[in-house]
Amino acid sequence: MHCRSRILASKIDPHLTPSAGGHINCVRNHKERFCTKVWTKQEKKSTMSNNDNESDVEYSETEECGYDDYYNPCNDADNETMNQKKCDPEHFEFECLTVDQVDRLLNELVETLSSRLRLTPSLSKLLLHAHNWALDSVIRMYLEDSSQLLVQSKLKPEKPPVVKTLSKTLVCPICIMMLPKDVFCGIGCSHLFCKGCWNTYLETQVMHGVSTATECMGCSVMATEDFVLPLLATPQLKERYVRHAFSDYVRSHPELRFCPGPNCNIIIRAKENKSKRIVCNSCKTTFCFRCGSDYHAPTDCETIRHWLTKCADDSETANYISAHTKVCPKCQICIEKNGGCNHMQCYGCKHDFCWMCLGDWKTHGSEYYRCSRYEENPNVANESSHARAKEALKKYLHYFERWENHAKSLRLEEQTLQRIRERIQCKVMTGTDGTWIDWQCLLDAAALLARCRYTLQYTYPYAYYMDAGPRKELFEYQQAQLEAEIENLSWKVERAETTDRGDLGIQMDVCEKRRTTLLQDFLES
Amino acid sequence: MAGLPRRIIKETQRLMAEPVPGISAVPDEQNARYFHVVVAGPEGSPFEGGVFKLELFLPEEYPMSAPKVRFMTKIYHPNIDKLGRICLDILKDKWSPALQIRTVLLSIQALLSAPNPDDPLANDVAELWKVNEAEAIRNAREWTRTYAMGNI
């Protein structure tokens, strides 16, 4: 399988397949670092103005002026905070609760139910657990037909238990021992077993992590904690049962989710079960409330799962093909990118080009940024199945490469931050260019950059699974806009030589607006 | 073996006194927890006429955990793999201490009569069973003739 994909891939673009070891060595010798050249302010300005000259003047004007009205319709200072909720497509109300708080929350529900319906708390607990803690509907169903509800929830046997014998001894069907009647017990169905067998059975269940789902040994009636706990021999077993049961309750409650952070005991509570961003206030893990995996807006839970599985299946091939290196489109020198934005300048021939499409960088200044867009081959339907397979692989690699590129940039974020910190230190120590406080905005910009890159990374699986059409065009247009703005921001962050906060601030604002606009339009509501 | 639980002794006695029709289960002379089992292919199934050898072992935790059962004779069946392992719910998560060796063997006999290709263990067999049942049944007959006749 791998071999076949590899051949297909190398037919698509032989340049991407590093075939000779010499090339790889080349990377070490000629490590072209796009950050090698130190740009002075003047140079930077002249480059910028060059780009401006080429670009449409009207375009930049609408950017500066039209933005606030269009993208920020609720900018009224009075109700800004109130409207923020409506404007921010990522806004999601949730609270981080401790185990005790959740315990109290669940117990309140249990108490309400048990006092309303005069049931034991342990039975109420299992009843609520079986019906996802929907208190009102449980009460309604119970009042309609209590017996049917209990049978359905496997808390009561279908037929009333038969009391068999009047003799003083019974034979336990598990250990086949004849024992006095008073050592026998059961869950309320007709199955009676001796306490010794119950002990061993329940211990086995608890050791296997089974708690709320513990059934009778003879049928499927559920055991309540009132029945289980006294039959567990040691405090350790009891504690284990309670812990497992608590996890089960949290999992069955639609408003609750455990923080997936390692060793984090926080439980998140949110009213709506949506795929929105949660940041745990204790361990700072960011995740999706609905599926618990890494936050993935604008892609939905289902799609991202498909994508990640696909990547896991195909990544070896794709990795091999992109193989971390590309050749300079002008002098063919082999280049490894180890950070920074997509504007590359070749160490050897000084050629400026885009890392993504390997096209001349100059073409990226005007119009809009095109290299996040995948051009569908219109003749694909007429071609053979072999060509279609080739096309499918090419399409996948297109999106995968961009996805992986942003992921890589994000992984390098810690290094970037370190570099920024060192630069700030250096600037402040020499004492010419502002104070430590003046430079803090750079760190904010870096954080924003990371946030934008993250969203952008997750736009590629979304685009991959999108059907061609005007909506996809709009999406890819917005994606390209965001790409372009991020590149600008990345450029500015890496090269900030003065505390020109205005310039940086505008760029940050533009980036964040682009990101929110994209999410506003495409994040499922 | 010292300290053999009363439960195992009673079950063994009953298996010998009232054997299940079409099944024989005899404890090993050295190890009372190890049973030599022979199951006759059920009538009307592609395994009819075949005699299948199985091994059954009662682990230390029995009856709290399920007996371990495995086909020794090769068999063409969607829920039994080439090592003879059986995909049967009561041998896994649906085990209950109230079940017995007898009930397990009856279930295995029933599985031979009614293969379940929707919950497969041997994927290739299950696939064929779903796509072309007639051919799968022919294969099963063929295997029964080759491996399960005249070998005991």
Side-chain angles (χ1 to χ4, degrees):
Chain A
M1 190 60 210
H2 272 179
C3 283
R4 204 176 60 191
S5 320
R6 200 175 285 170
I7 292 160
L8 280 174
S10 64
K11 277 182 185 167
I12 297 166
D13 192 351
H15 295 294
L16 291 183
T17 320
S19 48
H23 271 245
I24 308 285
N25 288 339
C26 232
V27 177
R28 293 215 181 91
N29 298 336
H30 306 281
K31 269 186 185 169
E32 193 280 333
R33 295 295 173 259
F34 121 96
C35 321
T36 44
K37 192 176 176 196
V38 179
W39 290 67
T40 63
K41 193 180 171 187
Q42 280 74 22
E43 266 180 309
K44 185 177 126 199
K45 279 215 165 149
S46 67
T47 326
M48 298 295 288
S49 58
N50 272 347
N51 283 349
D52 281 352
N53 290 342
E54 277 163 25
S55 68
D56 197 345
V57 178
E58 201 183 78
Y59 176 70
S60 59
E61 263 191 1
T62 41
E63 281 237 304
E64 301 289 339
C65 319
Y67 241 94
D68 275 354
D69 300 334
Y70 184 74
Y71 286 108
N72 209 359
C74 41
N75 214 6
D76 285 348
D78 295 340
N79 46 13
E80 194 168 355
T81 43
M82 198 191 79
N83 282 333
Q84 208 179 357
K85 289 176 190 170
K86 285 183 203 156
C87 281
D88 182 4
E90 291 182 296
H91 179 82
F92 191 53
E93 272 187 41
F94 66 89
E95 42 186 342
C96 298
L97 303 175
T98 60
V99 172
D100 287 343
Q101 283 170 313
V102 173
D103 210 30
R104 228 172 294 141
L105 180 105
L106 297 179
N107 277 334
E108 271 168 29
L109 288 171
V110 169
E111 271 165 35
T112 320
L113 187 72
S114 65
S115 60
R116 275 289 297 276
L117 304 179
R118 294 175 190 285
L119 296 170
T120 62
S122 68
L123 187 66
S124 311
K125 221 177 203 172
L126 276 189
L127 200 54
L128 282 167
H129 171 62
H131 294 90
N132 298 331
W133 299 84
L135 181 67
D136 295 337
S137 82
V138 169
I139 293 178
R140 189 169 38 77
M141 286 190 285
Y142 191 89
L143 294 177
E144 269 169 26
D145 189 344
S146 62
S147 176
Q148 194 201 347
L149 178 72
L150 290 174
V151 170
Q152 228 175 39
S153 317
K154 297 209 264 175
L155 293 168
K156 194 179 149 185
E158 277 178 48
K159 291 172 201 150
V162 194
V163 184
K164 279 182 206 158
T165 144
L166 296 167
S167 70
K168 282 183 184 159
T169 56
L170 287 172
V171 175
C172 171
I174 304 295
C175 59
I176 327 280
M177 299 292 247
M178 174 107 59
L179 296 162
K181 205 177 171 184
D182 56 352
V183 300
F184 282 80
C185 58
I187 300 180
C189 50
S190 49
H191 302 104
L192 295 178
F193 304 99
C194 76
K195 278 185 182 156
C197 285
W198 274 118
N199 287 147
T200 7
Y201 171 69
L202 293 173
E203 183 178 330
T204 325
Q205 295 294 100
V206 172
M207 291 317 280
H208 283 107
V210 181
S211 54
T212 52
T214 307
E215 293 177 345
C216 165
M217 288 192 270
C219 63
S220 55
V221 171
M222 301 283 200
T224 61
E225 64 178 29
D226 280 355
F227 179 79
V228 176
L229 287 176
L231 285 166
L232 288 172
T234 64
Q236 286 84 353
L237 282 172
K238 290 183 210 279
E239 197 254 300
R240 213 181 152 105
Y241 174 86
V242 171
R243 211 174 55 231
H244 285 308
F246 181 75
S247 306
D248 284 355
Y249 297 142
V250 170
R251 283 196 195 97
S252 66
H253 198 303
E255 289 178 11
L256 300 175
R257 174 176 280 285
F258 279 106
C259 167
N263 297 324
C264 182
N265 287 324
I266 291 295
I267 294 147
I268 312 293
R269 183 189 187 188
K271 293 273 179 210
E272 296 165 298
N273 187 13
K274 283 185 172 173
S275 44
K276 294 277 188 168
R277 178 172 55 198
I278 302 288
V279 182
C280 172
N281 66 3
S282 159
C283 70
K284 305 294 172 216
T285 307
T286 307
F287 61 99
C288 162
F289 183 71
R290 182 127 144 232
C291 67
S293 53
D294 286 351
Y295 179 61
H296 48 67
T299 315
D300 61 50
C301 302
E302 190 88 321
T303 315
I304 201 68
R305 221 188 46 235
H306 283 304
W307 173 258
L308 292 175
T309 330
K310 187 170 174 59
C311 289
D313 291 346
D314 295 350
S315 60
E316 280 312 304
T317 326
N319 279 350
Y320 181 74
I321 292 162
S322 13
H324 313 294
T325 66
K326 289 185 182 180
V327 289
C328 166
K330 204 172 170 195
C331 68
Q332 315 299 319
I333 203 169
C334 200
I335 296 165
E336 180 197 37
K337 182 162 121 88
N338 68 344
C341 73
N342 285 330
H343 180 176
M344 306 289 282
Q345 193 187 43
C346 177
Y347 181 80
C349 67
K350 307 285 179 210
H351 176 55
D352 287 279
F353 65 97
C354 165
W355 178 252
M356 272 338 297
C357 68
L358 298 176
D360 196 327
W361 186 258
K362 282 195 203 98
T363 59
H364 286 74
S366 60
E367 231 195 5
Y368 50 79
Y369 190 85
R370 281 188 76 86
C371 62
S372 57
R373 194 176 266 249
Y374 179 74
E375 305 287 346
E376 298 254 10
N377 186 347
N379 294 324
V380 73
N382 306 327
E383 289 173 23
S384 65
S385 63
H386 173 72
R388 271 206 300 277
K390 213 166 98 178
E391 188 62 24
L393 180 65
K394 208 168 121 192
K395 177 180 171 185
Y396 167 65
L397 285 178
H398 170 93
Y399 290 105
F400 179 77
E401 235 177 76
R402 279 149 186 82
W403 153 273
E404 192 53 29
N405 188 44
H406 284 298
K408 235 181 255 169
S409 300
L410 279 171
R411 282 197 290 272
L412 293 170
E413 191 200 5
E414 201 34 59
Q415 291 175 25
T416 316
L417 276 178
Q418 192 53 40
R419 272 208 303 277
I420 292 175
R421 274 191 219 106
E422 278 164 16
R423 215 165 68 227
I424 293 175
Q425 193 69 20
C426 171
K427 293 281 177 200
V428 174
M429 288 322 242
T430 53
T432 46
D433 278 325
T435 65
W436 186 79
I437 291 170
D438 291 333
W439 284 99
Q440 288 313 294
C441 61
L442 259 195
L443 291 175
D444 294 342
L448 182 90
L449 185 64
R451 197 159 70 228
C452 289
R453 269 200 197 289
Y454 190 89
T455 304
L456 201 48
Q457 181 192 351
Y458 281 89
T459 60
Y460 284 103
Y462 189 93
Y464 177 78
Y465 288 104
M466 240 180 152
D467 295 325
R471 195 146 169 82
K472 184 166 185 175
E473 272 169 37
L474 176 64
F475 183 79
E476 294 200 321
Y477 172 77
Q478 295 199 356
Q479 191 186 36
Q481 296 275 305
L482 181 59
E483 279 276 8
E485 295 306 343
I486 286 184
E487 288 310 322
N488 282 342
L489 181 63
S490 177
W491 178 267
K492 281 181 183 157
V493 168
E494 299 229 2
R495 270 165 207 72
E497 290 298 323
T498 59
T499 53
D500 184 2
R501 285 165 68 172
D503 192 28
L504 192 67
I506 289 170
Q507 191 57 44
M508 283 168 71
D509 200 39
V510 168
C511 280
E512 182 57 18
K513 291 273 161 56
R514 290 269 187 231
R515 193 181 78 91
T516 12
T517 311
L518 188 139
L519 289 178
Q520 241 159 14
D521 289 353
F522 292 95
L523 188 57
E524 49 124 29
S525 47
Chain B
M1 187 192 241
L4 195 65
R6 192 182 155 80
R7 154 103 182 218
I8 296 180
I9 297 169
K10 283 281 172 195
E11 272 200 70
T12 313
Q13 282 171 354
R14 188 156 166 242
L15 274 173
M16 309 305 262
E18 320 159 30
V20 190
I23 299 173
S24 99
V26 184
D28 189 81
E29 283 173 18
Q30 321 280 289
N31 184 351
R33 286 176 176 270
Y34 185 89
F35 287 76
H36 301 274
V37 179
V38 178
V39 174
E43 269 180 44
S45 77
F47 310 102
E48 187 177 347
V51 179
F52 298 89
K53 281 204 277 184
L54 291 89
E55 59 176 9
L56 183 145
F57 180 70
L58 304 175
E60 190 57 42
E61 304 81 38
Y62 183 82
M64 291 308 156
S65 62
K68 304 198 183 308
V69 197
R70 190 170 80 89
F71 270 81
M72 307 292 276
T73 309
K74 264 174 87 85
I75 182 167
Y76 192 87
H77 191 288
N79 310 102
I80 300 163
D81 72 1
K82 59 183 174 203
L83 296 178
R85 292 176 300 193
I86 308 162
C87 179
L88 187 62
D89 57 356
I90 60 156
L91 291 178
K92 306 269 157 43
D93 53 322
K94 287 281 182 287
W95 171 255
S96 147
L99 297 170
Q100 301 176 6
I101 302 175
R102 176 180 291 270
T103 39
V104 167
L105 295 177
L106 278 168
S107 301
I108 291 173
Q109 204 180 34
L111 193 66
L112 293 186
S113 297
N116 176 13
D118 291 323
D119 181 20
L121 189 60
N123 269 317
D124 47 334
V125 181
E127 194 58 41
L128 189 65
W129 217 283
K130 278 208 274 199
V131 177
N132 187 348
E133 198 180 340
E135 195 189 330
I137 288 176
R138 257 199 314 279
N139 282 348
R141 282 221 180 83
E142 184 60 41
W143 281 44
T144 307
R145 254 196 307 280
T146 318
Y147 303 109
M149 288 186 188
N151 60 340
I152 297 188

